[in-house]
Amino acid sequence: MSPSRTLRSLVATLAGLSLLTACGGARAGTADGVSAEPARGGTLNLSMSLDPLCLDPHAISSDVEQIFGHILTDNLVYLDDKGDPSPWLATSWEISPDAKTYTFHLREGVTFSDGAVFDAQAVVTNFEHMLDPATRSPLAGPYIAPYEDSKIIDDYTLEVHLSRPYVPFLTVLAQGWLGMESPKAIKESTPAQLCEHPVGSGPFVLTGYTKNQSVTFARRADYNWPPDLYKRGGPAYLDGIKVDWVGQDAVRFNSLVSGQYQATGYLPAQNAQAVKSNPALEYHNNNRIGWPFTLDFNVSRAPFDDIDVRRAFAASVNVPAIIQTIGFGQRQPATGFLDRVTQYYDPNVKFPGYDPAKANQLLDQAGWTGRDADGYRTKDGKVLEAQSPVTQTATVSPVYNLIQAQAKAVGFKVNVNLLPLTQVTTLRYAGDYDLLSGVWHTNTPDVLYIKYATESIPNDKRLGQNLSHLSDQQIDTWLEQARQTTDAAKLRDLYGKVQQRLVDLVPGVPIYDNSVLWATSRKLQGVITDTSHATPVFTYAWLTK
Amino acid sequence: MTALGTTGTRLAVRPTAVAIAKRIGVRLIAGVGVLWGAATLSFIALHVTAGDAALSTVAGQGANPTKEVLDQVRRDLGLDQPLYHQYLDYLGRLLHGDLGRSYQQRISVSQAIGEQLGQTVQLAVAAAVVAVLLAIAAAVLTARRRPWRSIASGVELTLSATPTFVIGIVLLIVFSFTLKVLPVSGNDGPRALILPTLTLALPIGAVLAQVLRSELEEVLEQPFILTARTRGMRDTVVRVRHALRHALVQIVTMSGFVVGGLLGGAVITETLFVRQGVGQLMLSAVTTKDIPMVLGLVVFAAFVYVLVNLLVDIAYTLIDPRLVTR
């Protein structure tokens, strides 16, 4: 176990540095960097794609919360431009040498919109709410799973005890899903009521919610506790925000162009070019922290238990061709198993590229030398094939058919099975598949623990996101060590080694870096890009007259 | 089908109140049977198909819940109980008019349906009115008038054979994307209602027009029409005042078909035009295996169907008393 040291001074230094630099994590939304004098008033009309049907940030996993979280709630910390936690509702903190005890010093004078006071007890109530099974938390609770209990030192000092070392605890506290809610509302509401009407301390207050239709927020007049990195203070400039759920991509795009909305939360990739060339609109394509869009191999069963078969399959996938087709030129190819904007991403680790000759050679070597009538490879009378369950929607991504065709070129049969969402979810946790695709967005390199630690393999006792079922002792050790230190050099070394080891073990094929696309009208100024989610923050946005 | 005009000369048999009540009673019992059957068949279908509803509720894409949360959800939803227990439980609650709580929305199914019903009713009523008016116009204007009859009939056959979503997409391409005269989607205002209404109304109106025209043509052959004409009535007046009145009885007969078409078509139309409503609710409930919501919507749709057929039946007894005594 490596010794950890007090972070307090480091945090203070970092925060100071970020204030000095021009773009310390927060930046103005104008493309040319010219920002006019903010105008107060007006309502922002924002379109979003899908209603999560519950607005309690702790109770949902919807990406809506990446945006709503910073409208309605505040977090204990905010990430700086390096990806390290910086002060917000917690002004400073210390970590014990065993990385199991975290002492938070809290900001005074913060209140929730229902009048409840933000203090140490409020934070405890929030942690307990996230972890209470009745909340059914799919994300916030699991992110703080090692939480054991807390000791209230005084009203504004809290000592949190974890059951095991987990330094990324601090980082995940910056995510939208982990925003602080009013302890009064938590105590007085049932989980279902809280879904309908969550109460936060954020710059806006929820004033109306019609499911599948709209959500309205109004400015909170006495708000004055944004993160230092926003470099502004006081209440929001906008009077309010009206959000409409507009499910269809084409409609969301057209209504943005027509001026019905001044911003859309998630822009369809196929419309990116049109938005870019529209002088009235501003286009945002921000890379996000986490695990790229990847095709997982299930390494726990044939045929992908054989590393040569995995290498061969990876070499058969023409990633640039796929990205060209599905990304409309908006996505960057992934280089490994971490998105390139993730802290401690190692640019020297390179996943080998498309090489059909090598794929054929590896498969020959692995003994798949026979051929059936359709040209697929066989060995001992068995066809070389993989099951790929895919969720059936109105618009299934062409990625699966592309991969199927490319694999066929080297004699590999991929069965794309279109199934209802519920069935794919069930197969996913049962481990009954050979290929599965997905992304995992979070705000820390600890995403590698979520995706590749032996502890994260789903089984009868637990759920988990290690869907390749990769179990490697070295990776486990390095990932555990990384959870015990705040030493940047050590972390860089540990995460670098994990990234290289993953490329060597080929638990999947990384395809493209995850990015979030959104668009705003040029009439909307001062939008801040969130450092955890790369999504828009409207606290100090304003509408030009 | 015979129009009333041909049989009006027969001696009418006046039904007793008892006979009417008996008839309605039998229909009511049958209606309850239909509701029970719909609920039971959907219950079986939902539980037989693969997929864990508890996982679907809490562990979808992007979620990473703990086992404790999953177990809690399974208990909350009663999914840890044996299937017969869940079934009896469901029937018991249904008897008290309780449709249960939605897994996804965490509110009662009745409330969820109630919130969305208004939008669907608006669309369905608008579509029904447009369908009937179009059918009447097409039938009255083209019955026994060549070549218009053949042209209209051809258009109607094409429309009734075209899937709803194709009609919707064609309308969108013409009026929203190309001419840009109507909004693509949404629930705001009457303008946003035009394209969805037409999408839903056209195939239904086409079938109604076919039926109505053949009925109208049959009536126009009748002696009383000839009598009217010999009195010097103009053709249009004969068609509207005499023939149409008789032919319209067909619309009542077809109302079961119309309601079915509206309910089924609403799912597709609301999805295509991203409209709020019961159809959208149904689609999302099915994909996420929200069992109480799907069951609630099926029972609700069956109830509407039973109710409409009951009303049609009562209307018939009043229009044609022979039905009771026969």
Side-chain angles (χ1 to χ4, degrees):
Chain A
M1 190 174 289
S2 68
S4 295
R5 58 195 173 81
T6 302
L7 266 186
R8 203 170 185 174
S9 59
L10 175 70
V11 164
T13 318
L14 279 175
L17 273 175
S18 320
L19 282 172
L20 286 174
T21 54
C23 56
R27 62 179 168 85
T30 46
D32 49 8
V34 180
S35 43
E37 194 55 33
R40 290 187 185 272
T43 298
L44 164 67
N45 290 305
L46 169 70
S47 65
M48 302 271 281
S49 64
L50 194 65
D51 186 352
L53 302 174
C54 169
L55 299 184
D56 174 1
H58 302 166
I60 56 175
S61 56
S62 163
D63 53 10
V64 163
E65 211 46 55
Q66 297 161 8
I67 294 175
F68 279 21
H70 291 338
I71 293 177
L72 194 69
T73 64
D74 298 308
N75 292 66
L76 289 178
V77 299
Y78 186 76
L79 295 195
D80 63 22
D81 60 339
K82 284 203 175 80
D84 284 315
S86 76
W88 195 349
L89 293 187
T91 49
S92 63
W93 46 85
E94 294 104 37
I95 306 177
S96 68
D98 66 358
K100 286 162 71 172
T101 302
Y102 297 71
T103 308
F104 293 96
H105 303 274
L106 305 175
R107 189 163 183 153
E108 295 182 29
V110 175
T111 56
F112 296 93
S113 60
D114 61 357
V117 173
F118 172 77
D119 58 10
Q121 182 56 53
V123 178
V124 175
T125 306
N126 269 274
F127 286 153
E128 286 173 353
H129 176 63
M130 292 176 202
L131 290 164
D132 182 357
T135 306
R136 296 189 197 167
S137 179
L139 217 50
Y143 269 132
I144 61 160
Y147 176 91
E148 204 162 56
D149 55 28
S150 292
K151 192 168 132 198
I152 295 173
I153 308 288
D154 61 45
D155 279 357
Y156 295 97
T157 312
L158 182 70
E159 195 178 281
V160 175
H161 304 130
L162 305 185
S163 59
R164 48 195 288 194
Y166 178 47
V167 173
F169 172 60
L170 273 176
T171 313
V172 298
L173 291 174
Q175 299 194 21
W177 296 281
L178 287 95
M180 292 289 116
E181 294 184 55
S182 157
K184 184 165 167 252
I186 290 175
K187 290 227 164 80
E188 291 173 2
S189 317
T190 63
Q193 286 168 334
L194 214 53
C195 276
E196 303 274 306
H197 198 90
V199 178
S201 62
F204 294 91
V205 181
L206 180 70
T207 49
Y209 177 28
T210 310
K211 280 188 176 157
N212 282 317
Q213 200 164 324
S214 62
V215 183
T216 51
F217 300 98
R219 170 180 48 213
R220 198 176 150 194
D222 57 344
Y223 182 78
N224 193 25
W225 40 84
D228 295 344
L229 289 175
Y230 286 3
K231 287 173 284 167
R232 287 184 193 271
Y237 298 147
L238 293 164
D239 284 340
I241 301 175
K242 179 168 188 285
V243 183
D244 285 337
W245 307 109
V246 183
Q248 237 184 22
D249 285 354
V251 180
R252 212 159 56 254
F253 167 69
N254 281 309
S255 53
L256 179 76
V257 172
S258 74
Q260 197 176 341
Y261 298 99
Q262 291 94 41
T264 182
Y266 299 96
L267 181 73
Q270 63 267 29
N271 302 126
Q273 207 50 51
V275 169
K276 263 190 199 172
S277 56
N278 188 327
L281 299 175
E282 194 173 315
Y283 170 72
H284 307 260
N285 179 5
N286 298 325
N287 278 321
R288 336 179 121 198
I289 302 168
W291 183 67
F293 179 82
T294 301
L295 197 62
D296 267 321
F297 297 129
N298 184 349
V299 307
S300 72
R301 69 182 202 183
F304 292 124
D305 54 348
D306 181 342
I307 189 166
D308 280 336
V309 174
R310 300 206 292 272
R311 286 201 179 109
F313 191 96
S316 81
V317 178
N318 187 347
V319 170
I322 290 175
I323 295 178
Q324 198 51 43
T325 309
I326 64 168
F328 300 89
Q330 305 308 311
R331 312 278 190 201
Q332 282 178 287
T335 58
F337 294 92
L338 268 191
D339 284 318
R340 43 169 69 69
V341 291
T342 310
Q343 198 179 25
Y344 308 121
Y345 159 79
D346 188 343
N348 299 316
V349 174
K350 289 266 185 284
F351 192 82
Y354 175 55
D355 188 348
K358 188 178 126 200
N360 277 313
Q361 183 210 327
L362 282 165
L363 290 175
D364 288 342
Q365 215 172 290
W368 294 95
T369 45
R371 293 277 180 165
D372 72 359
D374 297 322
Y376 292 114
R377 289 173 178 271
T378 58
K379 180 161 109 177
D380 307 327
K382 274 193 68 183
V383 177
L384 180 59
E385 62 181 333
Q387 305 299 330
S388 171
V390 172
T391 303
Q392 188 155 33
T393 59
T395 49
V396 175
S397 166
V399 66
Y400 306 103
N401 288 330
L402 290 172
I403 287 170
Q404 191 177 41
Q406 292 169 359
K408 189 180 181 181
V410 299
F412 207 122
K413 186 177 185 183
V414 175
N415 301 304
V416 176
N417 310 318
L418 291 177
L419 298 169
L421 175 65
T422 306
Q423 286 187 39
V424 175
T425 305
T426 308
L427 292 176
R428 181 150 58 101
Y429 286 105
D432 190 6
Y433 55 86
D434 298 310
L435 289 168
L436 215 55
S437 70
V439 293
W440 195 270
H441 160 63
T442 179
N443 66 349
T444 149
D446 190 57
V447 69
L448 293 173
Y449 191 99
I450 295 171
K451 289 305 304 181
Y452 296 111
T454 302
E455 279 261 326
S456 306
I457 299 175
N459 60 23
D460 294 346
K461 305 265 180 303
R462 59 165 186 255
L463 303 176
Q465 304 306 320
N466 181 347
L467 299 177
S468 63
H469 288 240
L470 182 76
S471 178
D472 182 70
Q473 213 185 344
Q474 267 192 300
I475 287 181
D476 288 343
T477 310
W478 291 330
L479 288 174
E480 279 299 344
Q481 285 172 353
R483 286 182 154 201
Q484 295 165 13
T485 181
T486 54
D487 183 323
K490 256 187 206 157
L491 285 166
R492 186 168 300 283
D493 175 58
L494 287 167
Y495 283 125
K497 284 196 282 201
V498 175
Q499 288 169 71
Q500 183 58 54
R501 179 89 180 139
L502 283 171
V503 165
D504 295 342
L505 293 176
V506 206
V509 190
I511 297 184
Y512 61 81
D513 267 22
N514 189 10
S515 71
V516 57
L517 277 60
W518 42 280
T520 50
S521 155
R522 293 224 179 256
K523 285 189 181 137
L524 183 68
Q525 304 269 312
V527 178
I528 293 166
T529 303
D530 180 51
T531 46
S532 283
H533 305 305
T535 43
V537 177
F538 301 111
T539 310
Y540 296 113
W542 71 91
L543 291 162
T544 56
K545 293 284 184 296
Chain B
M1 282 288 171
T2 48
L4 285 179
T6 56
T7 51
T9 50
R10 274 204 207 165
L11 187 67
V13 183
R14 192 173 291 271
T16 60
V18 177
I20 295 180
K22 198 173 148 195
R23 187 178 164 80
I24 292 173
V26 169
R27 291 292 155 138
L28 272 177
I29 292 166
V32 172
V34 168
L35 285 181
W36 172 77
T40 305
L41 284 177
S42 327
F43 185 89
I44 294 170
L46 279 166
H47 282 92
V48 168
T49 48
D52 182 342
L55 266 181
S56 169
T57 301
V58 77
Q61 201 82 38
N64 186 25
T66 56
K67 190 76 167 51
E68 291 68 45
V69 167
L70 180 67
D71 292 342
Q72 170 86 26
V73 169
R74 216 180 285 287
R75 274 194 305 277
D76 283 356
L77 306 184
L79 291 166
D80 54 340
Q81 303 288 329
L83 206 56
Y84 75 91
H85 194 288
Q86 292 182 43
Y87 175 66
L88 293 178
D89 219 43
Y90 180 72
L91 278 192
R93 276 186 282 117
L94 200 58
L95 277 178
H96 295 92
D98 178 5
L99 293 176
R101 289 179 83 79
S102 157
Y103 292 173
Q104 296 287 334
Q105 298 202 28
R106 294 195 183 191
I107 54 174
S108 77
V109 170
S110 343
Q111 189 192 337
I113 295 177
E115 281 172 5
Q116 301 293 326
L117 192 59
Q119 295 289 349
T120 303
V121 167
Q122 205 180 54
L123 174 66
V125 168
V129 169
V130 170
V132 169
L133 290 181
L134 279 180
I136 291 174
V140 170
L141 290 176
T142 63
R144 296 184 73 197
R145 283 179 182 163
R146 288 175 197 283
W148 304 113
R149 185 197 188 287
S150 320
I151 296 170
S153 184
V155 171
E156 286 155 15
L157 279 175
T158 312
L159 281 176
S160 57
T162 311
T164 312
F165 71 91
V166 175
I167 296 179
I169 288 171
V170 170
L171 289 174
L172 271 176
I173 290 174
V174 175
F175 293 100
S176 293
F177 299 149
T178 313
L179 299 176
K180 297 187 200 275
V181 288
L182 288 170
V184 184
S185 76
N187 289 53
D188 291 338
R191 271 164 55 80
L193 195 61
I194 296 176
L195 289 186
T197 301
L198 281 178
T199 305
L200 196 51
L202 284 177
I204 296 172
V207 174
L208 287 183
Q210 292 269 316
V211 175
L212 204 56
R213 183 185 304 103
S214 80
E215 188 63 24
L216 205 55
E217 286 175 345
E218 203 176 314
V219 176
L220 287 172
E221 304 275 349
Q222 300 303 319
F224 77 96
I225 297 290
L226 190 65
T227 316
R229 286 190 201 282
T230 52
R231 290 206 311 264
M233 267 190 174
R234 283 176 51 215
D235 186 45
T236 317
V237 181
V238 170
R239 280 169 184 259
V240 175
R241 281 195 34 202
H242 289 272
L244 185 61
R245 275 173 67 178
H246 291 87
L248 274 182
V249 178
Q250 282 306 313
I251 301 279
V252 179
T253 316
M254 296 289 287
S255 50
F257 158 81
V258 172
V259 169
L262 289 173
L263 283 175
V267 177
I268 297 160
T269 311
E270 287 174 0
T271 307
L272 189 65
F273 291 93
V274 210
R275 278 185 65 83
Q276 302 309 315
V278 173
Q280 282 268 41
L281 200 61
M282 182 61 146
L283 195 69
S284 73
V286 168
T287 52
T288 54
K289 204 163 183 171
D290 192 337
I291 294 172
M293 186 66 91
V294 178
L295 286 177
L297 284 164
V298 168
V299 169
F300 174 74
F303 175 76
V304 171
Y305 209 81
V306 165
L307 190 70
V308 167
N309 277 304
L310 190 68
L311 291 178
V312 168
D313 235 58
I314 294 172
Y316 261 155
T317 359
L318 301 177
I319 294 170
D320 189 355
R322 289 165 304 151
L323 286 168
V324 179
T325 48
R326 218 179 254 170

